[in-house]
Amino acid sequence: MNPIILITGATRGIGFAAAGQLAARGAQVIIGSREKDRAVEAAKRLGSGVSAVALDITDVGSVKAAVAEIDKQFGRLDALANNSAILLDHYQSLLDLKPEVLLETLNTNVVGTLRVSQAFAPLLAKSNAPRIINVSSGAGQLDGEPQAWAPAYCISKTALNMLTQQLAAALPHVMVNSMCPGWCRTEMGGSDAPRSPGEGADTLTWLALEAPHDLRGKFLKDRAVIPW
Ligand code: NDP
C-alpha cells in the first residue's frame, strides 16, 4: 500500500522539493496550500500520485474541510509533514519587535501546527505506522550562544520543538519528530543559502518514509539527532 502523505505549504521551497522526492519513491502525496489553484498547479507539475488540498493552517474551517476531503478520498493518513511557516521579522531587533508580529508568527508556526496535528490525529490513527514531521529550524535551538536574528521566528521554532515533544507524549503510537532542513535557497531562505531545497528536504523525506518508527521525540538534521 502506498503511503499517503500530506505536506502543508508545499507549493514551493522545501515542501515542494519533499513532495517531488516522496512522489518519486511511490508515495501518494497531498500538497497543501492556502490557495487551492496554486496547490493544483504544483501537483500537476509533479504528475501522477500527487494531489492538492486547500489548507490554511490558521483557519479552523479550512483545516476541518481538508480533513474531511482527505478522509473521503483516502480514508487514512500515514504521514503529516507540518512544513508551513512564516518569517516576518528577518533583521528586526527584539527591542523593536511588535507583540502583534510575535503573535502572528506563533499563530502560524506553532498554533497552526498544533491545530493541524490535532485535526489529523484521527486519520493518522488509521495508519499502521503513522508519522508526524515538524519542520523546525536550528534557529530555535537552545544549546548555542544567544542569537539576535529574527526573534519572533526563533521563539516560534523553539516553541515548535516543545510542541514536538508534547505531541510525541500525547500520541504514543505516532512517530513524531522535529527536523531542521539547514539554510536553503527558497523564498524564505533567500538566494545566498548554501543548500538547495532538495538537500533541505532530504531528512523530511527520510523521516516520512524510511526512518525507523521507534525514532521519535527527537530533533534531527541530515538524518542524525541534534541537540534541542
Ligand atoms: P517558503 O516561504 O518557501 O514556503 C513556506 C510555505 O508556507 C509557503 O509555501 C506557504 O504556502 C506556507 N504557509 C505560510 N502560511 C501558511 C498558512 N497560514 N497556512 C498554510 N500554509 C502556509 O519556505 P521554505 O520552503 O524555505 O520553508 C519550509 C519550512 O522550512 C518552514 O517551516 C521553514 O521555517 C523551515 N526552514 C527553512 C529554512 C530555509 O533556509 N529556507 C531553514 C530552516 C527551516 P501558501 O502560500 O501556498 O499557502
Side-chain angles (χ1 to χ4, degrees), residues 177-223:
N177 292 292
S178 276
M179 53 81 55
C180 171
W183 186 22
C184 300
R185 292 183 296 277
T186 65
E187 205 160 304
M188 183 184 288
S191 54
D192 292 338
R195 292 186 173 202
S196 68
E199 288 170 312
D202 173 74
T203 299
L204 191 169
T205 297
W206 179 71
L207 285 168
L209 275 188
E210 294 164 17
H213 204 259
D214 59 357
L215 175 65
R216 58 190 309 285
K218 305 289 187 207
F219 189 20
L220 295 103
K221 183 179 182 183
D222 296 333
R223 303 190 182 195

mmCIF file of all heavy atoms in Angstrom, residues 177-223:
data_model
loop_
_atom_site.group_PDB
_atom_site.id
_atom_site.type_symbol
_atom_site.label_atom_id
_atom_site.label_comp_id
_atom_site.label_asym_id
_atom_site.label_seq_id
_atom_site.Cartn_x
_atom_site.Cartn_y
_atom_site.Cartn_z
ATOM 1 N N ASN A 177 8.601 13.813 15.198
ATOM 2 C CA ASN A 177 9.935 14.421 15.305
ATOM 3 C C ASN A 177 9.938 15.838 14.737
ATOM 4 O O ASN A 177 9.094 16.178 13.903
ATOM 5 C CB ASN A 177 10.970 13.591 14.532
ATOM 6 C CG ASN A 177 11.217 12.245 15.177
ATOM 7 O OD1 ASN A 177 11.781 12.159 16.267
ATOM 8 N ND2 ASN A 177 10.768 11.170 14.524
ATOM 9 N N SER A 178 10.918 16.614 15.189
ATOM 10 C CA SER A 178 11.262 17.892 14.559
ATOM 11 C C SER A 178 12.473 17.668 13.669
ATOM 12 O O SER A 178 13.317 16.808 13.978
ATOM 13 C CB SER A 178 11.688 18.928 15.611
ATOM 14 O OG SER A 178 10.602 19.585 16.198
ATOM 15 N N MET A 179 12.563 18.438 12.591
ATOM 16 C CA MET A 179 13.790 18.377 11.792
ATOM 17 C C MET A 179 14.160 19.781 11.311
ATOM 18 O O MET A 179 13.305 20.656 11.145
ATOM 19 C CB MET A 179 13.685 17.405 10.609
ATOM 20 C CG MET A 179 12.536 17.558 9.651
ATOM 21 S SD MET A 179 12.670 18.811 8.366
ATOM 22 C CE MET A 179 14.161 18.433 7.522
ATOM 23 N N CYS A 180 15.475 19.976 11.107
ATOM 24 C CA CYS A 180 15.974 21.225 10.533
ATOM 25 C C CYS A 180 16.494 20.933 9.130
ATOM 26 O O CYS A 180 17.341 20.045 8.963
ATOM 27 C CB CYS A 180 17.104 21.787 11.400
ATOM 28 S SG CYS A 180 17.940 23.187 10.592
ATOM 29 N N PRO A 181 16.006 21.656 8.129
ATOM 30 C CA PRO A 181 16.473 21.405 6.757
ATOM 31 C C PRO A 181 17.844 22.006 6.453
ATOM 32 O O PRO A 181 18.426 21.716 5.412
ATOM 33 C CB PRO A 181 15.401 22.072 5.893
ATOM 34 C CG PRO A 181 14.810 23.139 6.774
ATOM 35 C CD PRO A 181 14.940 22.670 8.189
ATOM 36 N N GLY A 182 18.349 22.861 7.349
ATOM 37 C CA GLY A 182 19.545 23.643 7.012
ATOM 38 C C GLY A 182 19.129 24.865 6.204
ATOM 39 O O GLY A 182 17.968 24.989 5.784
ATOM 40 N N TRP A 183 20.074 25.763 5.999
ATOM 41 C CA TRP A 183 19.769 27.022 5.304
ATOM 42 C C TRP A 183 19.656 26.735 3.806
ATOM 43 O O TRP A 183 20.628 26.321 3.167
ATOM 44 C CB TRP A 183 20.868 28.042 5.619
ATOM 45 C CG TRP A 183 20.595 29.414 5.074
ATOM 46 C CD1 TRP A 183 19.398 29.941 4.729
ATOM 47 C CD2 TRP A 183 21.578 30.427 4.810
ATOM 48 N NE1 TRP A 183 19.547 31.228 4.273
ATOM 49 C CE2 TRP A 183 20.878 31.547 4.311
ATOM 50 C CE3 TRP A 183 22.968 30.494 4.948
ATOM 51 C CZ2 TRP A 183 21.535 32.722 3.946
ATOM 52 C CZ3 TRP A 183 23.606 31.664 4.582
ATOM 53 C CH2 TRP A 183 22.887 32.773 4.096
ATOM 54 N N CYS A 184 18.465 26.965 3.257
ATOM 55 C CA CYS A 184 18.176 26.555 1.873
ATOM 56 C C CYS A 184 17.738 27.739 1.005
ATOM 57 O O CYS A 184 17.087 28.673 1.490
ATOM 58 C CB CYS A 184 17.041 25.533 1.859
ATOM 59 S SG CYS A 184 17.401 24.042 2.768
ATOM 60 N N ARG A 185 18.034 27.611 -0.292
ATOM 61 C CA ARG A 185 17.652 28.645 -1.270
ATOM 62 C C ARG A 185 16.161 28.533 -1.603
ATOM 63 O O ARG A 185 15.763 27.773 -2.489
ATOM 64 C CB ARG A 185 18.490 28.493 -2.550
ATOM 65 C CG ARG A 185 19.963 28.816 -2.366
ATOM 66 C CD ARG A 185 20.726 28.723 -3.666
ATOM 67 N NE ARG A 185 20.762 27.384 -4.231
ATOM 68 C CZ ARG A 185 21.611 26.427 -3.883
ATOM 69 N NH1 ARG A 185 22.506 26.635 -2.933
ATOM 70 N NH2 ARG A 185 21.571 25.257 -4.477
ATOM 71 N N THR A 186 15.356 29.259 -0.817
ATOM 72 C CA THR A 186 13.909 29.301 -1.036
ATOM 73 C C THR A 186 13.475 30.753 -0.880
ATOM 74 O O THR A 186 14.298 31.619 -0.581
ATOM 75 C CB THR A 186 13.167 28.463 0.026
ATOM 76 O OG1 THR A 186 13.374 29.094 1.305
ATOM 77 C CG2 THR A 186 13.676 27.033 0.074
ATOM 78 N N GLU A 187 12.171 30.976 -1.035
ATOM 79 C CA GLU A 187 11.673 32.337 -0.820
ATOM 80 C C GLU A 187 12.021 32.810 0.596
ATOM 81 O O GLU A 187 12.400 33.959 0.808
ATOM 82 C CB GLU A 187 10.163 32.364 -1.044
ATOM 83 C CG GLU A 187 9.682 33.723 -1.435
ATOM 84 C CD GLU A 187 8.328 33.690 -2.116
ATOM 85 O OE1 GLU A 187 8.180 32.979 -3.142
ATOM 86 O OE2 GLU A 187 7.426 34.380 -1.623
ATOM 87 N N MET A 188 11.912 31.903 1.566
ATOM 88 C CA MET A 188 12.246 32.268 2.942
ATOM 89 C C MET A 188 13.755 32.373 3.145
ATOM 90 O O MET A 188 14.251 33.287 3.789
ATOM 91 C CB MET A 188 11.668 31.237 3.926
ATOM 92 C CG MET A 188 11.915 31.599 5.376
ATOM 93 S SD MET A 188 11.350 30.342 6.530
ATOM 94 C CE MET A 188 9.580 30.495 6.445
ATOM 95 N N GLY A 189 14.498 31.440 2.618
ATOM 96 C CA GLY A 189 15.939 31.356 2.876
ATOM 97 C C GLY A 189 16.768 32.333 2.053
ATOM 98 O O GLY A 189 17.891 32.659 2.431
ATOM 99 N N GLY A 190 16.235 32.779 0.907
ATOM 100 C CA GLY A 190 16.970 33.703 0.047
ATOM 101 C C GLY A 190 17.967 32.985 -0.856
ATOM 102 O O GLY A 190 18.195 31.778 -0.727
ATOM 103 N N SER A 191 18.594 33.769 -1.750
ATOM 104 C CA SER A 191 19.421 33.164 -2.794
ATOM 105 C C SER A 191 20.862 32.878 -2.347
ATOM 106 O O SER A 191 21.601 32.199 -3.049
ATOM 107 C CB SER A 191 19.441 34.074 -4.027
ATOM 108 O OG SER A 191 19.860 35.359 -3.623
ATOM 109 N N ASP A 192 21.270 33.380 -1.190
ATOM 110 C CA ASP A 192 22.654 33.155 -0.733
ATOM 111 C C ASP A 192 22.833 31.835 0.019
ATOM 112 O O ASP A 192 23.960 31.482 0.386
ATOM 113 C CB ASP A 192 23.100 34.290 0.208
ATOM 114 C CG ASP A 192 23.246 35.600 -0.539
ATOM 115 O OD1 ASP A 192 23.409 35.549 -1.776
ATOM 116 O OD2 ASP A 192 23.171 36.661 0.114
ATOM 117 N N ALA A 193 21.746 31.161 0.302
ATOM 118 C CA ALA A 193 21.829 29.950 1.133
ATOM 119 C C ALA A 193 22.656 28.863 0.437
ATOM 120 O O ALA A 193 22.616 28.735 -0.789
ATOM 121 C CB ALA A 193 20.423 29.433 1.434
ATOM 122 N N PRO A 194 23.389 28.068 1.193
ATOM 123 C CA PRO A 194 24.263 27.052 0.590
ATOM 124 C C PRO A 194 23.535 25.804 0.090
ATOM 125 O O PRO A 194 24.062 25.077 -0.741
ATOM 126 C CB PRO A 194 25.220 26.694 1.735
ATOM 127 C CG PRO A 194 24.482 27.042 2.985
ATOM 128 C CD PRO A 194 23.587 28.194 2.647
ATOM 129 N N ARG A 195 22.356 25.537 0.607
ATOM 130 C CA ARG A 195 21.682 24.273 0.248
ATOM 131 C C ARG A 195 20.559 24.489 -0.763
ATOM 132 O O ARG A 195 19.861 25.516 -0.714
ATOM 133 C CB ARG A 195 21.055 23.639 1.489
ATOM 134 C CG ARG A 195 22.058 23.146 2.482
ATOM 135 C CD ARG A 195 21.389 22.411 3.613
ATOM 136 N NE ARG A 195 22.434 21.830 4.445
ATOM 137 C CZ ARG A 195 22.282 20.809 5.260
ATOM 138 N NH1 ARG A 195 21.107 20.233 5.391
ATOM 139 N NH2 ARG A 195 23.292 20.349 5.956
ATOM 140 N N SER A 196 20.332 23.490 -1.595
ATOM 141 C CA SER A 196 19.157 23.503 -2.474
ATOM 142 C C SER A 196 17.944 23.084 -1.642
ATOM 143 O O SER A 196 18.093 22.440 -0.594
ATOM 144 C CB SER A 196 19.361 22.512 -3.617
ATOM 145 O OG SER A 196 19.347 21.191 -3.093
ATOM 146 N N PRO A 197 16.734 23.401 -2.113
ATOM 147 C CA PRO A 197 15.541 22.925 -1.406
ATOM 148 C C PRO A 197 15.525 21.394 -1.302
ATOM 149 O O PRO A 197 15.097 20.849 -0.284
ATOM 150 C CB PRO A 197 14.387 23.422 -2.282
ATOM 151 C CG PRO A 197 14.943 24.587 -3.021
ATOM 152 C CD PRO A 197 16.397 24.311 -3.222
ATOM 153 N N GLY A 198 16.021 20.732 -2.323
ATOM 154 C CA GLY A 198 16.050 19.259 -2.304
ATOM 155 C C GLY A 198 16.951 18.726 -1.205
ATOM 156 O O GLY A 198 16.610 17.758 -0.518
ATOM 157 N N GLU A 199 18.117 19.363 -1.027
ATOM 158 C CA GLU A 199 19.009 18.934 0.064
ATOM 159 C C GLU A 199 18.330 19.153 1.413
ATOM 160 O O GLU A 199 18.426 18.317 2.312
ATOM 161 C CB GLU A 199 20.331 19.714 -0.002
ATOM 162 C CG GLU A 199 21.217 19.287 -1.160
ATOM 163 C CD GLU A 199 22.402 20.232 -1.372
ATOM 164 O OE1 GLU A 199 22.208 21.459 -1.412
ATOM 165 O OE2 GLU A 199 23.526 19.725 -1.517
ATOM 166 N N GLY A 200 17.621 20.284 1.531
ATOM 167 C CA GLY A 200 16.904 20.557 2.778
ATOM 168 C C GLY A 200 15.785 19.570 3.038
ATOM 169 O O GLY A 200 15.484 19.246 4.186
ATOM 170 N N ALA A 201 15.167 19.091 1.955
ATOM 171 C CA ALA A 201 14.013 18.190 2.087
ATOM 172 C C ALA A 201 14.415 16.752 2.410
ATOM 173 O O ALA A 201 13.571 15.949 2.820
ATOM 174 C CB ALA A 201 13.203 18.210 0.788
ATOM 175 N N ASP A 202 15.691 16.416 2.229
ATOM 176 C CA ASP A 202 16.096 15.006 2.336
ATOM 177 C C ASP A 202 15.713 14.363 3.680
ATOM 178 O O ASP A 202 15.185 13.248 3.701
ATOM 179 C CB ASP A 202 17.616 14.889 2.111
ATOM 180 C CG ASP A 202 18.104 13.480 2.393
ATOM 181 O OD1 ASP A 202 17.830 12.601 1.550
ATOM 182 O OD2 ASP A 202 18.704 13.249 3.469
ATOM 183 N N THR A 203 15.961 15.068 4.782
ATOM 184 C CA THR A 203 15.653 14.460 6.097
ATOM 185 C C THR A 203 14.144 14.322 6.293
ATOM 186 O O THR A 203 13.674 13.337 6.877
ATOM 187 C CB THR A 203 16.296 15.285 7.241
ATOM 188 O OG1 THR A 203 17.714 15.268 7.044
ATOM 189 C CG2 THR A 203 15.987 14.707 8.604
ATOM 190 N N LEU A 204 13.395 15.304 5.775
ATOM 191 C CA LEU A 204 11.924 15.201 5.835
ATOM 192 C C LEU A 204 11.461 13.931 5.110
ATOM 193 O O LEU A 204 10.686 13.139 5.640
ATOM 194 C CB LEU A 204 11.303 16.455 5.200
ATOM 195 C CG LEU A 204 9.803 16.720 5.358
ATOM 196 C CD1 LEU A 204 9.472 18.130 4.892
ATOM 197 C CD2 LEU A 204 8.925 15.724 4.662
ATOM 198 N N THR A 205 11.963 13.758 3.908
ATOM 199 C CA THR A 205 11.578 12.600 3.090
ATOM 200 C C THR A 205 11.950 11.296 3.793
ATOM 201 O O THR A 205 11.153 10.344 3.851
ATOM 202 C CB THR A 205 12.289 12.699 1.718
ATOM 203 O OG1 THR A 205 11.820 13.885 1.069
ATOM 204 C CG2 THR A 205 12.013 11.495 0.846
ATOM 205 N N TRP A 206 13.146 11.267 4.368
ATOM 206 C CA TRP A 206 13.620 10.065 5.076
ATOM 207 C C TRP A 206 12.724 9.765 6.282
ATOM 208 O O TRP A 206 12.328 8.616 6.518
ATOM 209 C CB TRP A 206 15.071 10.297 5.484
ATOM 210 C CG TRP A 206 15.704 9.185 6.229
ATOM 211 C CD1 TRP A 206 16.061 7.966 5.731
ATOM 212 C CD2 TRP A 206 16.064 9.189 7.619
ATOM 213 N NE1 TRP A 206 16.633 7.212 6.731
ATOM 214 C CE2 TRP A 206 16.646 7.932 7.896
ATOM 215 C CE3 TRP A 206 15.970 10.123 8.645
ATOM 216 C CZ2 TRP A 206 17.119 7.591 9.165
ATOM 217 C CZ3 TRP A 206 16.438 9.797 9.906
ATOM 218 C CH2 TRP A 206 17.000 8.552 10.153
ATOM 219 N N LEU A 207 12.397 10.831 7.049
ATOM 220 C CA LEU A 207 11.541 10.621 8.224
ATOM 221 C C LEU A 207 10.134 10.168 7.820
ATOM 222 O O LEU A 207 9.497 9.389 8.515
ATOM 223 C CB LEU A 207 11.442 11.916 9.047
ATOM 224 C CG LEU A 207 12.673 12.270 9.882
ATOM 225 C CD1 LEU A 207 12.564 13.699 10.415
ATOM 226 C CD2 LEU A 207 12.840 11.288 11.046
ATOM 227 N N ALA A 208 9.653 10.667 6.690
ATOM 228 C CA ALA A 208 8.289 10.329 6.258
ATOM 229 C C ALA A 208 8.180 8.903 5.734
ATOM 230 O O ALA A 208 7.125 8.277 5.828
ATOM 231 C CB ALA A 208 7.837 11.311 5.179
ATOM 232 N N LEU A 209 9.281 8.367 5.211
ATOM 233 C CA LEU A 209 9.196 7.063 4.541
ATOM 234 C C LEU A 209 10.027 5.955 5.164
ATOM 235 O O LEU A 209 9.569 4.819 5.278
ATOM 236 C CB LEU A 209 9.667 7.204 3.087
ATOM 237 C CG LEU A 209 8.705 7.657 2.016
ATOM 238 C CD1 LEU A 209 9.368 7.524 0.661
ATOM 239 C CD2 LEU A 209 7.391 6.873 2.058
ATOM 240 N N GLU A 210 11.279 6.276 5.518
ATOM 241 C CA GLU A 210 12.238 5.196 5.786
ATOM 242 C C GLU A 210 12.739 5.094 7.217
ATOM 243 O O GLU A 210 13.133 4.006 7.658
ATOM 244 C CB GLU A 210 13.486 5.394 4.897
ATOM 245 C CG GLU A 210 13.229 5.240 3.421
ATOM 246 C CD GLU A 210 14.379 5.822 2.599
ATOM 247 O OE1 GLU A 210 15.473 6.040 3.160
ATOM 248 O OE2 GLU A 210 14.170 6.072 1.407
ATOM 249 N N ALA A 211 12.800 6.187 7.928
ATOM 250 C CA ALA A 211 13.425 6.167 9.263
ATOM 251 C C ALA A 211 12.688 5.181 10.164
ATOM 252 O O ALA A 211 11.473 5.012 10.046
ATOM 253 C CB ALA A 211 13.369 7.564 9.870
ATOM 254 N N PRO A 212 13.424 4.508 11.065
ATOM 255 C CA PRO A 212 12.773 3.526 11.941
ATOM 256 C C PRO A 212 11.683 4.172 12.794
ATOM 257 O O PRO A 212 11.857 5.290 13.284
ATOM 258 C CB PRO A 212 13.923 3.008 12.824
ATOM 259 C CG PRO A 212 15.050 3.944 12.628
ATOM 260 C CD PRO A 212 14.861 4.626 11.311
ATOM 261 N N HIS A 213 10.573 3.461 12.959
ATOM 262 C CA HIS A 213 9.399 4.041 13.609
ATOM 263 C C HIS A 213 9.635 4.329 15.091
ATOM 264 O O HIS A 213 8.937 5.143 15.693
ATOM 265 C CB HIS A 213 8.184 3.126 13.412
ATOM 266 C CG HIS A 213 6.883 3.846 13.522
ATOM 267 N ND1 HIS A 213 6.101 3.814 14.648
ATOM 268 C CD2 HIS A 213 6.252 4.672 12.651
ATOM 269 C CE1 HIS A 213 5.035 4.574 14.469
ATOM 270 N NE2 HIS A 213 5.099 5.102 13.259
ATOM 271 N N ASP A 214 10.645 3.677 15.690
ATOM 272 C CA ASP A 214 10.901 3.958 17.113
ATOM 273 C C ASP A 214 11.831 5.159 17.315
ATOM 274 O O ASP A 214 12.170 5.519 18.442
ATOM 275 C CB ASP A 214 11.447 2.718 17.842
ATOM 276 C CG ASP A 214 12.749 2.223 17.230
ATOM 277 O OD1 ASP A 214 13.198 2.802 16.213
ATOM 278 O OD2 ASP A 214 13.330 1.265 17.772
ATOM 279 N N LEU A 215 12.207 5.805 16.224
ATOM 280 C CA LEU A 215 12.943 7.074 16.324
ATOM 281 C C LEU A 215 11.903 8.168 16.515
ATOM 282 O O LEU A 215 11.246 8.591 15.565
ATOM 283 C CB LEU A 215 13.745 7.309 15.044
ATOM 284 C CG LEU A 215 14.494 8.639 14.903
ATOM 285 C CD1 LEU A 215 15.587 8.773 15.944
ATOM 286 C CD2 LEU A 215 15.089 8.766 13.510
ATOM 287 N N ARG A 216 11.689 8.609 17.739
ATOM 288 C CA ARG A 216 10.581 9.551 17.999
ATOM 289 C C ARG A 216 10.917 10.514 19.127
ATOM 290 O O ARG A 216 11.750 10.211 19.976
ATOM 291 C CB ARG A 216 9.277 8.795 18.261
ATOM 292 C CG ARG A 216 9.310 7.825 19.411
ATOM 293 C CD ARG A 216 8.067 6.938 19.445
ATOM 294 N NE ARG A 216 6.832 7.700 19.364
ATOM 295 C CZ ARG A 216 6.318 8.401 20.370
ATOM 296 N NH1 ARG A 216 6.927 8.431 21.529
ATOM 297 N NH2 ARG A 216 5.181 9.054 20.215
ATOM 298 N N GLY A 217 10.271 11.679 19.085
ATOM 299 C CA GLY A 217 10.505 12.692 20.111
ATOM 300 C C GLY A 217 11.888 13.304 20.008
ATOM 301 O O GLY A 217 12.459 13.742 21.006
ATOM 302 N N LYS A 218 12.447 13.349 18.784
ATOM 303 C CA LYS A 218 13.814 13.848 18.580
ATOM 304 C C LYS A 218 13.818 15.059 17.647
ATOM 305 O O LYS A 218 12.838 15.345 16.954
ATOM 306 C CB LYS A 218 14.700 12.764 17.954
ATOM 307 C CG LYS A 218 14.739 11.462 18.721
ATOM 308 C CD LYS A 218 15.511 11.598 20.002
ATOM 309 C CE LYS A 218 15.684 10.250 20.684
ATOM 310 N NZ LYS A 218 15.839 10.378 22.129
ATOM 311 N N PHE A 219 15.001 15.706 17.605
ATOM 312 C CA PHE A 219 15.259 16.821 16.685
ATOM 313 C C PHE A 219 16.387 16.347 15.765
ATOM 314 O O PHE A 219 17.432 15.883 16.263
ATOM 315 C CB PHE A 219 15.678 18.050 17.498
ATOM 316 C CG PHE A 219 15.784 19.343 16.724
ATOM 317 C CD1 PHE A 219 15.150 19.528 15.499
ATOM 318 C CD2 PHE A 219 16.500 20.411 17.250
ATOM 319 C CE1 PHE A 219 15.240 20.733 14.811
ATOM 320 C CE2 PHE A 219 16.597 21.627 16.575
ATOM 321 C CZ PHE A 219 15.960 21.776 15.349
ATOM 322 N N LEU A 220 16.164 16.414 14.460
ATOM 323 C CA LEU A 220 17.147 15.853 13.519
ATOM 324 C C LEU A 220 17.574 16.853 12.459
ATOM 325 O O LEU A 220 16.818 17.752 12.080
ATOM 326 C CB LEU A 220 16.562 14.625 12.797
ATOM 327 C CG LEU A 220 16.255 13.434 13.684
ATOM 328 C CD1 LEU A 220 14.772 13.334 13.940
ATOM 329 C CD2 LEU A 220 16.750 12.144 13.048
ATOM 330 N N LYS A 221 18.788 16.640 11.984
ATOM 331 C CA LYS A 221 19.293 17.356 10.804
ATOM 332 C C LYS A 221 20.198 16.371 10.061
ATOM 333 O O LYS A 221 20.956 15.617 10.707
ATOM 334 C CB LYS A 221 20.079 18.599 11.244
ATOM 335 C CG LYS A 221 20.583 19.432 10.082
ATOM 336 C CD LYS A 221 21.332 20.668 10.578
ATOM 337 C CE LYS A 221 21.776 21.521 9.397
ATOM 338 N NZ LYS A 221 22.566 22.678 9.841
ATOM 339 N N ASP A 222 20.126 16.373 8.764
ATOM 340 C CA ASP A 222 20.944 15.455 7.957
ATOM 341 C C ASP A 222 20.826 14.018 8.463
ATOM 342 O O ASP A 222 21.827 13.295 8.618
ATOM 343 C CB ASP A 222 22.404 15.919 7.944
ATOM 344 C CG ASP A 222 22.549 17.275 7.268
ATOM 345 O OD1 ASP A 222 21.699 17.595 6.395
ATOM 346 O OD2 ASP A 222 23.471 18.022 7.624
ATOM 347 N N ARG A 223 19.601 13.595 8.769
ATOM 348 C CA ARG A 223 19.262 12.225 9.187
ATOM 349 C C ARG A 223 19.891 11.822 10.517
ATOM 350 O O ARG A 223 19.967 10.641 10.841
ATOM 351 C CB ARG A 223 19.655 11.202 8.104
ATOM 352 C CG ARG A 223 19.013 11.465 6.743
ATOM 353 C CD ARG A 223 19.251 10.305 5.801
ATOM 354 N NE ARG A 223 18.690 10.557 4.473
ATOM 355 C CZ ARG A 223 18.493 9.625 3.555
ATOM 356 N NH1 ARG A 223 18.800 8.374 3.819
ATOM 357 N NH2 ARG A 223 17.988 9.944 2.387
#
